[in-house]
Each structure stands twice: as structure tokens, then as C-alpha cells.
Amino acid sequence: MKFDLISIFPEYFSPLKLSLIGKAQEKNLVSIAIHDLRDQADGVHKSVDDTPYGGGAGMVMSPVPWGEAIDQVLLGSSAAIHDLIILTPAGQKLTQSLAQELVECEHLIFACGRYEGIDHRVTRYYQTVPHVRVREISIGDYVLGGGEVATLVIMEAIIRLIPGVVGNPQSLVEESHSLPEDAVEYPNYTKPAVWRGLDVPEVLLSGNHALIKAWRNDQALERTQKLNPQTRG
Ligand code: ADE
């Protein structure tokens, strides 16, 4: 799976060297290339933004360097389909099922805008380009300073679903959002059996797998109700 990330702050992506995603790269399960948008900007100031047509506060990113940067990435790829992800708080909300859909993609391009976002013609133009699917994605109902952190979140959600990335694939099957009820995960315990006067729930020490399963199910449903009663459980 190939990832191309475009940003004016390439250093934002240094955490990708670490942990799960770092290992996935070492194992060649994913390949990640980072591109500096300013390499496509002209003039002494290498400016990538301008004032909005129609007035208003803030600056809008120019479609010109974005078009150059995305075209260059597309030209350098032999993938049959390219998914161009434009990060914006106005996009489709990231969910576990969207992550599961994205892990099936061959080539993901992340366009990380800053300021008031990218000139909307970038979305409109690439919607007309054959073999490119444009997806505007948000990681939640709040406004970040740019798309870089959102990209890290989405990549972590996707990459851990690639077979071979997470050590024990059963943990993916068992975990919260894969439960049919869409419940959150049950609470987990490990050794020691008593810590600061607190015991591990007796049932977990019973060795009775049916009882443990039923207890975990109840706990998951109870937590789901408490955490998010409107949308879950
Ligand atoms: N850029 C700014 N805020 C964002 C958000 N919530 N999700 C994705 N990209 C963003």
C-alpha cells in the first residue's frame, strides 16, 4: 500500500518512523513518501496562499501549487486507482468502517491544507480526472490548524488493519468497534491480581470461558450506554 503525503510542514510526519507504522515500513507492508508543497511554489517568498474571493477572514491555499504537487504524485504512480484524500472539517467523518474501506485502497494521497483550507477547485478538478477518487475527510467536529494531525490519525487507523501489522490479528477481531453491537471495548486487566487494594474481577480468574465472554459482553454494553447513549448500544 502506497501513501503520498503533501504538506507545507513535512516535519509533522516524523512520528511515522515510530512503533507500528515504523515497523510496517520496515516490513515493506507500506511505503510512505512525504512531499513539501513549497517545492511547487514560485517567487522569493514561496507563497502558497492568498486572500479569499468574496472577502472574509484568513487565507486560502492556492490551487496552483496543489495541482502541480498532486499531478507529480500521480505521474510517479503505477496504481490503477488513486484515492485523493483532502482533509477538511467539512468532510465525511472518519469511522472504523471508513478505515476498513480505505485499507482496501492501493494508493492514498493525503492533501493537508492549512489556514482556511484549499481552493475548492482542487476537489472539483480531480473529481473529473479518470482513475482518481476524491474523498474529503474530517476526523471530528472541531477545527484543527491543518490536515497533518488528521492524516496521522487516519493513517494509524488504516495501517493497523493491514494483515501482518498487528502482532495478534485476533485482537483486531475482538476489539470494540468490530463487535456486532457497535459497542466499545470491555475493561481489561493484567497482573498483579491485587493492585493498591483493588482486585481483578473474580470472573476473569475463573477459567470459565463462557462466563468470561458473557461478563465482557455485559461490561461492553454498559460502558457503551454510559459513554455515548445517543448513538450506540
Ligand atoms: N483540518 C482542520 N480541521 C480538521 C478536521 N477536524 N479534520 C480533518 N482535517 C481538518
Side-chain angles (χ1 to χ4, degrees):
M1 201 172 176
K2 177 77 204 280
F3 294 81
D4 281 288
L5 320 182
I6 311 170
S7 162
I8 55 168
F9 292 121
E11 297 85 355
Y12 247 110
F13 300 114
S14 37
L16 295 173
K17 293 196 235 28
L18 306 173
S19 185
L20 212 93
I21 299 180
K23 295 224 176 67
Q25 289 181 87
E26 283 167 22
K27 290 194 224 167
N28 288 323
L29 294 170
V30 298
S31 152
I32 303 172
I34 298 162
H35 311 272
D36 189 342
L37 181 73
R38 273 199 216 279
D39 291 347
Q40 309 303 329
D42 291 327
V44 262
H45 297 297
K46 296 250 169 209
S47 166
V48 291
D49 60 342
D50 214 323
T51 51
Y53 277 120
M59 300 291 269
V60 177
M61 291 190 106
S62 161
V64 180
W66 277 109
E68 297 297 321
I70 296 166
D71 284 353
Q72 210 172 78
V73 164
L74 291 173
L75 276 172
S77 167
S78 56
I81 300 279
H82 316 272
D83 285 86
L84 171 62
I85 297 183
I86 299 180
L87 289 316
T88 161
Q92 178 188 2
K93 207 79 57 69
L94 178 67
T95 58
Q96 190 63 24
S97 72
L98 180 56
Q100 268 151 1
E101 186 183 325
L102 294 174
V103 75
E104 304 298 332
C105 298
E106 184 183 355
H107 181 209
L108 292 174
I109 306 165
F110 287 81
C112 304
R114 295 201 75 84
Y115 319 116
E116 299 305 309
I118 303 172
D119 186 306
H120 193 56
R121 284 170 293 183
V122 172
T123 299
R124 286 167 51 201
Y125 174 78
Y126 286 100
Q127 279 170 340
T128 70
V129 174
H131 314 293
V132 175
R133 280 190 300 232
V134 180
R135 300 168 180 268
E136 292 181 312
I137 299 181
S138 162
I139 62 161
D141 289 337
Y142 37 80
V143 181
L144 302 167
E148 288 78 5
V149 170
T151 294
L152 291 173
V153 169
I154 298 169
M155 286 180 72
E156 185 152 319
I158 297 173
I159 291 174
R160 61 191 296 286
L161 298 176
I162 297 174
V165 169
V166 169
N168 176 7
Q170 189 60 24
S171 67
L172 293 181
V173 177
E174 280 174 9
E175 77 192 7
S176 63
H177 297 279
S178 300
L179 292 176
E181 310 92 337
D182 199 20
V184 297
E185 208 177 1
Y186 49 78
N188 284 300
Y189 294 87
T190 187
K191 292 177 199 71
V194 184
W195 177 77
R196 298 192 180 181
L198 298 172
D199 294 328
V200 170
E202 190 96 33
V203 59
L204 297 178
L205 310 173
S206 69
N208 183 330
H209 295 295
L211 266 184
I212 292 172
K213 193 164 181 233
W215 179 84
R216 284 179 166 166
N217 219 43
D218 287 352
Q219 290 283 313
L221 290 176
E222 195 184 309
R223 276 183 146 189
T224 304
Q225 271 303 317
K226 264 194 209 142
L227 283 175
N228 211 343
Q230 313 91 313
T231 55
R232 291 169 172 278

